[in-house]
Amino acid sequence: QPQVGDARDITLIQPFVGVYCGHGNWYVHGFSSCLYPTDTIAPVVLFNDLGVGYYWRCNGRFLTGIVPTAEVHVSTPMNHRNDNDPERRRDTVDLTGGAHFLFGSRTSVGVAVGTPVTGPRPFSVEGLLNFNWRY
């Protein structure tokens, strides 16, 4: 019988639906998804996200745009919520702020910082960094 903390191969399936609405340079985006593990030791989790941002175009040859955004993420475990469950998960709300920096017509670099605003906090702060190159 597997115990909590045992190494396991669990496949996670996460279908989602997203929305984007823009007006001028402003936009609102969001998504909802549900994470379904293939093993009952892991929780089923509902995720919801809503963000707002602005697309600022630059006339430079190198930097062509800056896209700041702010988001709120809500994670809701659908099971494993009992205080006696060793795999217990809690509802969490995280705030994230960041920006994408656009270079030319094919490259962007995104940076962001997020923090949970509900307790108990599973972490203090997280940093995100991504690089996109469209070919």
Side-chain angles (χ1 to χ4, degrees):
Q1 185 72 3
Q3 299 295 312
V4 173
D6 286 352
R8 301 180 83 151
D9 291 326
I10 299 175
T11 300
L12 303 173
I13 301 166
Q14 189 173 6
F16 72 94
V17 62
V19 63
Y20 171 87
C21 181
H23 182 71
N25 289 351
W26 289 96
Y27 65 91
V28 175
H29 62 93
F31 72 85
S32 290
S33 69
C34 196
L35 180 70
Y36 298 99
T38 57
D39 192 317
T40 59
I41 197 167
V44 174
V45 183
L46 177 66
F47 297 100
N48 289 290
D49 175 277
L50 185 64
V52 62
Y54 184 82
Y55 190 125
W56 180 49
R57 289 169 173 79
C58 302
N59 292 328
R61 290 177 51 162
F62 184 64
L63 181 65
T64 57
I66 301 173
V67 187
T69 187
E71 302 177 18
V72 60
H73 305 272
V74 179
S75 301
T76 308
M78 305 307 286
N79 58 358
H80 292 285
R81 298 181 65 91
N82 185 317
D83 285 338
N84 298 323
D85 187 339
E87 290 295 313
R88 180 177 185 209
R89 300 295 192 267
R90 292 181 168 85
D91 298 335
T92 59
V93 177
D94 301 329
L95 298 179
T96 303
H100 284 273
F101 299 90
L102 310 176
F103 302 97
S105 62
R106 301 186 323 171
T107 306
S108 69
V109 174
V111 295
V113 174
T115 187
V117 294
T118 57
R121 294 167 55 155
F123 59 91
S124 297
V125 67
E126 67 178 337
L128 301 106
L129 173 66
N130 70 39
F131 173 80
N132 291 302
W133 179 61
R134 291 174 281 293
Y135 55 93

